[in-house]
Amino acid sequence: MHDLQTRFNAFTKMHDEFIRDWSHAMSSGDTSSVERMTEDYYVAFFNSGSDSPIFFNKLEAMDGMKQSVSHFSGAEKRFENRVIRLRSSENAVVFYEQLIVKEEEVLARLFTIENWRLVNGKWMVIREIEERIK
């Protein structure tokens, strides 16, 4: 149990750094520090409740991420109501409400679920689920 708590604490610290790296990406336009995806990474994006999800592979997701950061230049990405759970000592899930805010106006709001895996001693995102709220 102690080992799992230690792993949880280390993962939480890494994810806190990931959030700080997102702040840097949003202000600088440089997304390299948040590109922490495995080669087989994918994201499922739900636009509305009745539509089927759109799937993006790693390269498509990275391109979309760069476009999004450019589009929302000057905005802040907030990670609200974050919940972290370890599935095992090498797998973690993070749930949060993602807000894109500029001048106190919410431009985008999404529910996000990230699935992480410890790969060669480094935490990497293996898949994400995004659902647009606003």
Side-chain angles (χ1 to χ4, degrees):
M1 183 67 173
H2 182 266
D3 184 50
L4 202 54
Q5 185 63 46
T6 300
R7 184 64 56 113
F8 176 83
N9 292 341
F11 178 85
T12 301
K13 181 179 181 211
M14 180 282 307
H15 202 266
D16 290 345
E17 292 168 3
F18 182 66
I19 290 171
R20 283 191 294 279
D21 288 345
W22 263 111
S23 290
H24 173 73
M26 294 299 290
S27 65
S28 70
D30 178 11
T31 61
S32 60
S33 63
V34 293
E35 296 171 6
R36 302 180 189 193
M37 302 92 145
T38 59
E39 288 306 312
D40 58 349
Y41 164 89
Y42 67 93
V43 60
F45 187 86
F46 292 84
N47 250 330
S48 71
S50 60
D51 293 341
S52 295
I54 302 167
F55 290 92
F56 300 96
N57 66 27
K58 179 182 179 178
L59 292 177
E60 294 165 334
M62 287 173 54
D63 185 51
M65 182 171 57
K66 290 173 185 174
Q67 289 178 26
S68 179
V69 165
S70 176
H71 175 75
F72 290 116
S73 178
E76 174 189 7
K77 185 173 187 173
R78 295 182 188 166
F79 297 75
E80 303 286 335
N81 305 308
R82 182 177 67 165
V83 176
I84 297 173
R85 294 293 182 264
L86 292 185
R87 291 181 189 256
S88 69
S89 64
E90 297 182 353
N91 291 281
V93 178
V94 182
F95 170 86
Y96 53 87
E97 182 181 357
Q98 182 184 146
L99 303 171
I100 306 295
V101 180
K102 187 171 186 175
E103 298 173 5
E104 298 306 313
E105 179 185 353
V106 176
L107 305 176
R109 192 170 158 220
L110 305 132
F111 284 136
T112 302
I113 301 172
E114 301 170 340
N115 286 267
W116 294 76
R117 179 182 303 138
L118 193 60
V119 179
N120 297 324
K122 184 176 179 182
W123 285 102
M124 305 289 287
V125 183
I126 58 173
R127 73 175 171 270
E128 286 184 66
I129 299 170
E130 301 271 353
E131 184 163 347
R132 181 180 307 277
I133 303 166
K134 174 184 178 183

